[in-house]
């Protein structure tokens, strides 16, 4: 992915590798049980009791080994997005042999927390396949306990080295939050929760479409900072085993670029 300054000039230079890390401790029995229950064997006729831990199988990738560091994961996503916007997608990791392998476990290399917008499916914009990404999608990348638990599961149980908070140009949830604040209107049902969560990111230094666009980026940064402040995630960031980055997808160019 590109940096802010290189948003529309190609992929830019790959980020430097992160420092070596120490393994984290604590909650081993609890995590083993959770891992077995949620990601064990799902083959027909196999009970949960026979499930294997999620890390027991590392599917063979047709483009090399699974990215094992934050920097490697970022490079893989950047390469996939370059293919996507050049209309040279590989649609990797969909063959019958890999599908059979994935029935016994998963080993994704990145968590992508993105918006529900139908124009921004992470597997497509990063040209990834089955078993590559763990995706969590909510309107405006809004966090709640289920989202936090899902991200933590990917990082702590599957040892995923990278979390990407992916916002996008022309986000309807962000527009709704800005317009609701201006009008004082309450949204129906659970949608008010979304605008309440996005509200602190609203950029009051701009107006109109410029305000909405600036708020898209500010919201990504806010969500990214909230995730990075979670104690167990912060511990892994401190050891270099995890990076949490913010990024934007531009609908007009199909490019993903990092937000500083």
């Amino acid at each position: 992915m590109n940096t802010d300054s290189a948003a529309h000039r190609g992929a830019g230079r790959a980020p430097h590798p992160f420092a070596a890390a120490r393994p984290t401790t604590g909650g081993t029995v609890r995590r083993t049980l959770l891992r077995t229950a949620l990601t064990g064997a799902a083959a027909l006729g196999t009970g949960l009791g026979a499930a294997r831990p999620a890390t027991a199988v590392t599917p063979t990738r047709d483009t090399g080994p699974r990215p094992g560091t934050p920097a490697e994961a970022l490079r893989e996503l950047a390469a996939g997005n370059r293919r996507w916007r050049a209309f040279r997608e590989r649609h990797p990791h969909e063959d019958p042999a890999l599908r059979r392998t994935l029935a016994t476990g998963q080993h994704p290399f990145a968590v992508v927390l993105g918006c529900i917008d139908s124009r921004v499916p992470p597997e497509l914009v990063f040209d990834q396949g089955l078993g590559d990404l763990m995706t969590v999608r909510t309107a405006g990348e809004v966090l709640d306990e289920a989202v936090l638990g899902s991200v933590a599961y990917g990082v702590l149980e599957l040892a995923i080295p990278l979390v990407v908070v992916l916002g996008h140009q022309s986000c309807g949830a962000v527009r709704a939050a800005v317009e609701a604040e201006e009008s004082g209107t309450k949204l129906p049902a659970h949608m008010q929760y979304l605008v309440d969560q996005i509200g602190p990111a609203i950029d009051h230094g701009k107006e109109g479409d410029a305000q909405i666009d600036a708020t898209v980026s500010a919201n990504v940064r806010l969500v990214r900072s909230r995730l990075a402040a979670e104690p167990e995630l912060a511990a892994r960031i401190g050891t270099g085993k995890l990076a949490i980055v913010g990024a934007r997808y531009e609908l007009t160019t199909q490019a993903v670029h990092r937000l500083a």
Side-chain angles (χ1 to χ4, degrees), residues 59-64 66-67 73 76-77 79-81 83-84 89-96 98-99 102 105-112 121-135 160:
T60 301
R61 296 169 56 87
D62 55 15
T63 55
R66 169 194 186 268
E76 178 73 19
L77 293 183
N81 181 242
R83 295 193 300 271
W84 164 255
E89 302 97 312
R90 295 176 182 170
H91 301 291
H93 315 138
E94 299 177 359
D95 60 273
L98 181 64
R99 295 185 194 190
L102 288 172
Q106 62 172 322
H107 206 47
F109 69 85
V111 175
V112 179
E123 289 87 353
L124 292 183
V125 303
F126 290 120
D127 191 28
Q128 300 300 316
L130 298 174
D132 292 333
L133 303 180
M134 181 170 283
T135 59
I160 292 175

Side-chain angles (χ1 to χ4, degrees), residues 50-73:
R52 298 180 185 179
T55 54
V57 175
T58 303
T60 301
R61 296 169 56 87
D62 55 15
T63 55
R66 169 194 186 268
T69 68
E72 290 171 355

Side-chain angles (χ1 to χ4, degrees), residues 155-168:
V155 172
L156 301 177
E157 304 303 324
L158 301 184
I160 292 175
L162 177 67
V163 176
V164 178
V165 180
L166 182 64
H168 66 93

Side-chain angles (χ1 to χ4, degrees), residues 47-235:
L48 286 176
R52 298 180 185 179
T55 54
V57 175
T58 303
T60 301
R61 296 169 56 87
D62 55 15
T63 55
R66 169 194 186 268
T69 68
E72 290 171 355
L74 281 167
R75 285 195 290 270
E76 178 73 19
L77 293 183
N81 181 242
R82 286 195 297 270
R83 295 193 300 271
W84 164 255
R85 65 180 191 261
F87 300 96
R88 295 179 179 176
E89 302 97 312
R90 295 176 182 170
H91 301 291
H93 315 138
E94 299 177 359
D95 60 273
L98 181 64
R99 295 185 194 190
R100 288 191 294 271
T101 302
L102 288 172
T104 60
Q106 62 172 322
H107 206 47
F109 69 85
V111 175
V112 179
L113 170 57
C115 184
I116 61 171
D117 194 291
S118 63
R119 300 166 293 180
V120 196
E123 289 87 353
L124 292 183
V125 303
F126 290 120
D127 191 28
Q128 300 300 316
L130 298 174
D132 292 333
L133 303 180
M134 181 170 283
T135 59
V136 185
R137 300 178 67 179
T138 65
E141 309 88 57
V142 164
L143 297 175
D144 62 15
E145 285 299 312
V147 174
L148 287 167
S150 298
V151 172
Y153 175 76
V155 172
L156 301 177
E157 304 303 324
L158 301 184
I160 292 175
L162 177 67
V163 176
V164 178
V165 180
L166 182 64
H168 66 93
Q169 182 183 20
S170 303
C171 180
V174 168
R175 178 179 291 275
V178 171
E179 292 177 351
E181 183 187 70
E182 290 176 349
S183 66
T185 303
K186 292 291 184 181
L187 273 67
H190 300 286
M191 289 186 287
Q192 185 62 41
Y193 176 81
L194 300 175
V195 301
D196 287 344
Q197 293 298 305
I198 296 171
I202 294 176
D203 188 328
H204 295 99
K206 295 181 173 62
E207 297 181 351
D209 288 344
Q211 182 184 36
I212 293 168
D213 193 68
T215 301
V216 167
S217 297
N219 184 57
V220 169
R221 294 185 178 102
L222 177 62
V223 173
R224 186 258 164 210
S225 67
R226 286 174 174 172
L227 285 174
E230 289 292 312
E232 289 190 285
L233 301 184

